[in-house]
Amino acid sequence: MWRSLVAGLLLAGVLVGCGGSGAGGSGEEAGGGDGSRLSRRGYERAVAQIVESRPVREAERLFYRLAAGDVTAAECRAETGRFVRDVGSGIDAVAKLNPPAEVAGLHARFLIAARGTERKLRRLAEDVSAGNVRCGPQWNSRAYGLPSTDRAVAILAEYARRGYRIAINGE
């Protein structure tokens, strides 16, 4: 489930979504600079690139490290900041995609949910920087199971019901 968030947020985001964007390349994969929409296959490929991008993979690694508390206080501050930036990069990459018309509404709803999670994670990073939250169980309780993340995951399930093979929806 966390990979779903990071990927979208991480699409984006999530995932993630998630160089930065992982969505570069041909016009079809990036959504075209000419305003053209991605095909279903192009969209699926673009999302897969974001999910496998360095920021999304790094955010996933950092999540587990920070949630476990296997870091010093200084590392917790620095790595939480990096985690939030990587999640934001994934979401930004997803936001740049021009999805097929049939899933444009899902894409927009996903981005709203993902940005909600990103805001919560930014507040968490501020609290970590202020010394109000430590990595480990306290950090995990603030980063995991957010209602906005649950909404994003539910939207990913809608993609699957419409036959989209998004790398993060269990396909």
Side-chain angles (χ1 to χ4, degrees):
M1 181 157 147
W2 174 248
R3 187 166 177 90
S4 296
L5 167 66
V6 173
L9 294 178
L10 317 207
L11 269 175
V14 70
L15 14 18
V16 162
C18 258
S21 76
S26 75
E28 182 189 3
E29 290 173 357
D34 61 0
S36 63
R37 292 196 176 272
L38 289 165
S39 66
R40 175 187 291 237
R41 183 163 163 82
Y43 187 69
E44 291 170 339
R45 277 194 315 246
V47 169
Q49 288 177 338
I50 294 167
V51 170
E52 294 304 320
S53 70
R54 188 220 43 89
V56 172
R57 288 192 326 265
E58 182 66 7
E60 184 176 17
R61 184 191 71 78
L62 286 171
F63 175 84
Y64 290 112
R65 180 172 156 92
L66 297 167
D70 295 337
V71 293
T72 66
E75 289 170 327
C76 182
R77 285 189 299 276
E79 292 186 4
T80 295
R82 192 163 62 240
F83 169 75
V84 173
R85 284 189 301 277
D86 286 345
V87 167
S89 291
I91 296 168
D92 291 344
V94 172
K96 291 177 184 175
L97 299 178
N98 192 1
E102 68 185 7
V103 293
L106 287 179
H107 183 85
R109 287 178 35 225
F110 178 84
L111 286 171
I112 290 167
R115 293 290 188 202
T117 295
E118 182 183 21
R119 280 190 299 278
K120 293 282 189 180
L121 294 175
R122 287 194 189 287
R123 283 189 213 118
L124 170 60
E126 291 167 3
D127 287 343
V128 168
S129 289
N132 298 326
V133 174
R134 290 182 300 216
C135 283
Q138 189 180 27
W139 189 96
N140 187 51
S141 71
R142 292 271 308 270
Y144 188 76
L146 299 172
S148 54
T149 303
D150 292 343
R151 284 192 301 275
V153 170
I155 292 164
L156 293 173
E158 288 184 48
Y159 276 101
R161 285 192 295 276
R162 292 185 187 193
Y164 275 75
R165 297 182 57 90
I166 303 293
I168 56 176
N169 67 14
E171 294 293 323

